Amino acid sequence: MTVKQPIVLKDLPTDLDPNRLPQHMAVIMDGNGRWAKRRGLPRIMGHQRGVDTLKDLLRCCRDWGIPALTAYAFSTENWGRPLEEVEFLMTLFERVLRRELQEMMAENVRIRFVGDLDVLPPSLQSEIYRSMEDTEKNTGVQFTVATNYGGRQEIVQSCRAIAQQVQQGLLKLDDINESLFENFLYTKGIPDPDLLIRTSGEMRLSNFLLWQLAYAEIYVTQTLWPDFDRHILHEALLNYQQRERRFGKVGKT
Ligand code: FPP
């Protein structure tokens, strides 16, 4: 009797066009709590498992040739969760960063954090800045983690910074346009995502990259984040490659 082996999908599946892959993919990692609850486990176990999923997705981006990935790890609204869960997440981020830094270096990953980082626990901030500095020159997958991130908050802080420069006479009102505005966002220098994947079936942006996702294709899967894998990414990419991206213009008919 032959045992059926799971398909590992290390290389890019042959039905995907390597020339039409998203150059930047963003993920809303939703459903960790439900994943744990369904197994009678505490919610935090879902987050713990979610880290492994994210790690594999990052490797998959490298294997399949997707140069940039952004993950929504903690929103400005997530502070409203039970204190125990918030504290667990902060400790988890710190632990994962400390544990994975060497591997990220070995795998040539560049990590960046976007969000209001100043209010995060100081020990987490140290790990964040250390990992950003150490990996700054890495040229592999560009990995961005949105932590204490809120799209509206990001836009407001950009407006304030621009207004301040106008007030100080460093900028004129006529200098303000879309490309200048982008330079004041946390994501300065990072191209906008082409594809947003959200797990667990919710059809919301949840305040994620409101400016940057203006023209992104959105793919929602019912799969809960800890169960997300390369097979589901494969489906998402097939679906993405069937779409015609018009950017507000008229299509090919
Ligand atoms: C949403 O699921 C998930 C989060 C708020 C946390 C996601 C964080 C990780 C997977 C860890 C990433 C780690 C690093 C270092 C980047 P939920 O709890 O809202 O799920 P639910 O909707 O089922 O309750």
Side-chain angles (χ1 to χ4, degrees):
M1 194 181 79
T2 53
V3 180
K4 199 173 166 219
Q5 295 290 330
I7 311 162
V8 178
L9 292 180
K10 180 158 184 350
D11 300 319
L12 183 69
T14 50
D15 52 0
L16 285 173
D17 178 352
N19 299 313
R20 290 181 53 230
L21 289 170
Q23 294 304 291
H24 182 180
M25 207 165 65
V27 281
I28 300 182
M29 310 181 285
D30 200 10
N32 293 347
R34 274 163 285 172
W35 182 91
K37 199 170 165 212
R38 282 180 197 173
R39 286 162 178 76
L41 299 168
R43 291 175 53 81
I44 54 172
M45 296 303 286
H47 300 314
Q48 185 117 29
R49 196 51 184 261
V51 174
D52 299 334
T53 305
L54 184 57
K55 214 175 141 180
D56 189 54
L57 179 59
L58 197 54
R59 290 216 165 109
C60 189
C61 287
R62 177 201 61 193
D63 293 344
W64 291 6
I66 297 169
L69 175 72
T70 295
Y72 203 5
F74 194 87
S75 74
T76 46
E77 290 74 31
N78 286 155
W79 295 108
R81 292 182 174 221
L83 183 64
E84 195 191 31
E85 185 172 340
V86 171
E87 282 177 352
F88 177 85
L89 281 168
M90 295 299 147
T91 314
L92 179 71
F93 298 151
E94 193 178 321
R95 195 154 31 92
V96 169
L97 275 182
R98 199 174 296 128
R99 192 182 67 202
E100 303 293 334
L101 183 57
Q102 251 188 328
E103 251 179 282
M104 286 194 285
M105 287 304 290
E107 297 187 20
N108 200 18
V109 171
R110 177 178 182 181
I111 190 168
R112 271 181 280 208
F113 284 80
V114 291
D116 180 6
L117 307 177
D118 296 346
V119 297
L120 296 173
S123 53
L124 172 56
Q125 287 188 46
S126 309
E127 291 302 328
I128 285 178
Y129 288 112
R130 186 159 77 108
S131 64
M132 287 203 280
E133 272 168 37
D134 286 5
T135 65
E136 195 179 12
K137 295 204 163 55
N138 289 353
T139 54
V141 177
Q142 306 291 296
F143 178 40
T144 305
V145 186
T147 311
N148 192 25
Y149 175 88
R152 288 184 174 181
Q153 185 270 345
E154 178 183 37
I155 290 169
V156 169
Q157 70 81 31
S158 306
C159 291
R160 290 175 73 102
I162 292 171
Q164 195 174 38
Q165 295 213 358
V166 172
Q167 209 171 34
Q168 292 169 349
L170 299 169
L171 277 177
K172 292 194 291 291
L173 205 56
D174 284 345
D175 296 332
I176 303 172
N177 54 32
E178 289 186 16
S179 63
L180 177 118
F181 196 83
E182 281 169 356
N183 284 330
F184 285 84
L185 294 170
Y186 293 132
T187 51
K188 177 183 175 194
I190 305 173
D192 290 343
D194 307 297
L195 172 64
L196 168 71
I197 297 178
R198 182 167 187 153
T199 54
S200 94
E202 315 291 349
M203 306 267 189
R204 288 188 290 274
L205 283 183
S206 298
N207 207 11
F208 187 40
L209 300 176
L210 295 182
W211 173 283
Q212 298 85 342
L213 290 172
Y215 285 101
E217 297 295 326
I218 301 178
Y219 183 85
V220 174
T221 169
Q222 294 298 323
T223 305
L224 305 178
W225 178 251
D227 289 330
F228 185 87
D229 62 12
R230 293 177 181 219
H231 296 274
I232 297 150
L233 179 63
H234 179 200
E235 279 166 32
L237 293 174
L238 278 175
N239 184 286
Y240 171 79
Q241 293 197 336
Q242 278 156 14
R243 299 191 197 179
E244 187 195 350
R245 303 191 70 202
R246 296 206 299 268
F247 298 97
K249 302 188 181 77
V250 176
K252 284 187 219 108
T253 56

